[in-house]
Amino acid sequence: MTETTEREVGRSRPRKEDARLITGQTNWTDNIQVAGLLHLAILRSPMAHARIERIDVSPALERPGVVAAFSGSDLAEGLGSLPCAWPVTEDIVLPDHPPIAVDEVRHAGDPVAVVVARDRYTAADALEAIEVDYEPLPPVLDLEAALRPDAPLVHADKGTNRCYVWPLKTGEDFEAVRQRADVTLKRRYHQQRLIPNAMEPRAVVVTPLAASGEYTVYSATQVPHILRVMLSVVTGVPEHKLRVIAPDVGGGFGSKLQVYGEEAIALAVARRLGRPVKWTESRSEGYLATHHGRGMIQDIEIAADRDGRLLGLKVDLLADMGAYLMLVTPGIPILGAFMYPAIYKMDSYDFTCTGVFTTRTPTDAYRGAGRPEATFAIERTMDELAAELGLDPVELRRRNWIKHEEFPHTSIAGLTYDSGNYEAATAKALELFDYDKLRAEQADRNEHGDTVRLGIGVSTYTEMCGLAPSRVLRDLRYAAGGWEAASIRMLPTGKVEVVTGTSPHGQGHVTCWSQIAADVLGVPFEDVEVVHGDTKAAPQGMDTYGSRSLTVGGAAVHHAAQKVVDKARKVAAHLLEASENDLEFTGGVFSVKGSPEARKTIQEIAFETFSSHDLPDGMEPTINAEHLVDPDNFSYPHGTHLCAVEVDTETGHTRIRSYVCVDDVGHVINPMIVEGQVHGGLAQGIAQALYEEAVYDEEGNLVTGTLADYMVPAAPDLPEFVTDRTETPATSNPLGVKGVGEAGTIASTPAVVNAIVDALRPLGVKDVRMPCTPERVWQAVKEASA
């Protein structure tokens, strides 16, 4: 039996997961092969809005290798409406969302028919034989026009394109604050639609066991536990007859936080045919059918006194729901509602979000989910206010942020930030960035009228993450809770199985959970195995999203491991003939105080419990334990990001010259993993600022429907990052940790855009709409000069 002394938490352990990934021994959903497997292909509407006049799938059945073909009406009896788990207001408009269209299509890519064949290529080829007659209906694309009384309707039976109106007003009346302000600014920002690009496309395999009516669903999902519940609701298959497995999942970024129509269709077809079926999306198909992110118009008004002290903030949003409400579509902008005041103190906050239906792919969670949008708006506006007042952007922030001695602090939006030190993070970032030297260089370039201008962007942020607690989610009308589960199984040989309800897709849970358990139990890191992503092996869980896994799931692992130690202590005391109070536990060893030779390792206790030859009277023969955590608060990571860009005013080309970020994510379990999460987040935030946008034409067709048209940056498009951390432990969990998975995305977008505008402000430019492509930058310079 091995004793351990060196702590695991805080070590940059290489990920346990990586050996399998880099040697091709992974088990992606699309890799799964079972006897008798059939393949699905889905015919999708080429029109944004149309009535289905006629559909005939029989020609597809004549193709060799085709086993079955179904229209929406063929499958309608066994399929209910796809769920929306977040009806944010009592009077929200909740249209039906059929997994496959029956009478009407409402966005390009809406499914209309299914072909089942012996291989995927035969199935895909047979789609062209299906005959569909459409009666075109007017598309609905403009958010403001969609709310006019004469606008065509996405859902005619609902009589409106307005999905909901959600207000939040706190503090003083904003009108009163506006009247006494020395300065007020109004700005409009556009959050373009973004298309998730997980490395692994979505896929689903359903295997039926006809004799017992059981089904195993393999899906590239972030949410196997939620998917199981919702598939039962949609298809009518009893929940206890469903097993959902998320095998190796290659990224998600929110796009796999979903219950998709394809999963329900695959289950319905497997149920009807009694055969296993598989569906895997193509990349271009995913662009149409996987939910999009962002999609919002932000009207911002800020009020301040002449010294720059913030008095109030007014936010009016138009949020694009797309054609249907998916799992948490309406709630995404509401998550951001609490983050627009960010790290700043003020007297008044007035927020209103209006959800709007359009004939575009539905929106839902995308890395950061509402909080990047909020951070972008307030940080862009703070730079605009600084320019109006003639203040340095950092100085304006310094005059308004919550000071470290003021924590815990209840923000104007009503959240209680438990810990933070914005001063320390900013000071470290400024030093690493060499802020004053860059400002001097910028002034010199401006004075000489250089055609390549230097811009400096500032972005400070905090975010609410660790999606919980359940009572808050209840008050927000979210259907589920925010708890998380973990259990620890001590095996007779002294090895450990950690069973977690979180479902990783690249975050490094297996490594970090092993580190946490190893420290608490005092066993070697290598002796810990983590079980996840299978509703039979890990039956309890609320899955992975919203930077919640470590703060909630990791805390559950910690508590469960501590329970194991407490149980083992009873056995050790009995075997050592000592009082529990006289035992010390260090490095996996129980010893009697003052008699170190009287000792038992926790692995020895595990075997003694297995044999059960000499246990305390009345004790069950196990030291295994489980724990469910439902936190009292969110966690609030924060940080300061600084970006320097060079903008060629003659071509519009932008080059990121340097990027520095200092984040505070509380205690760090594995610095290497934190670094990787920050780098990935920065890449996606910079991508929104400079490259990515889902573009539709006037008929509602997605014209950026492939990787040739939708600009995803590669490594050469990104700068070298300088990253560092400060550390103020969270008080909401025993590990003192805060979320990190979304932090880089939240802070980086405004840092880059602020830098571009800062470079061009001397030329009269006040904004560049994202993505800040060379053409848009050049056009902004041209319009300002005119």
Side-chain angles (χ1 to χ4, degrees), residues 192-206:
Q192 77 270 34
R193 276 177 167 251
L194 301 177
I195 301 176
N197 278 274
M199 189 170 290
E200 178 206 20
R202 290 190 295 120
V204 59
V205 174
V206 180

Side-chain angles (χ1 to χ4, degrees), residues 373-387:
E373 297 93 309
T375 300
F376 180 87
I378 185 63
E379 289 303 289
R380 280 288 297 112
T381 305
M382 289 296 283
D383 261 34
E384 293 299 299
L385 180 61

Side-chain angles (χ1 to χ4, degrees), residues 633-655:
N633 197 1
F634 301 94
S635 78
Y636 298 96
H638 68 83
T640 297
H641 289 220
L642 301 171
C643 178
V645 300
E646 291 182 329
V647 182
D648 189 325
T649 58
E650 294 181 339
T651 66
H653 179 262
T654 297
R655 182 181 76 90

Side-chain angles (χ1 to χ4, degrees), residues 364-376:
D364 209 297
Y366 180 78
R367 196 171 189 169
R371 290 100 75 204
E373 297 93 309
T375 300
F376 180 87

Side-chain angles (χ1 to χ4, degrees), residues 282-303:
S282 67
R283 186 66 69 178
S284 57
E285 186 179 19
Y287 274 35
L288 289 170
T290 298
H291 74 240
H292 292 179
R294 314 290 192 251
M296 186 184 295
I297 297 173
Q298 303 169 306
D299 286 309
I300 310 296
E301 183 175 359
I302 199 164

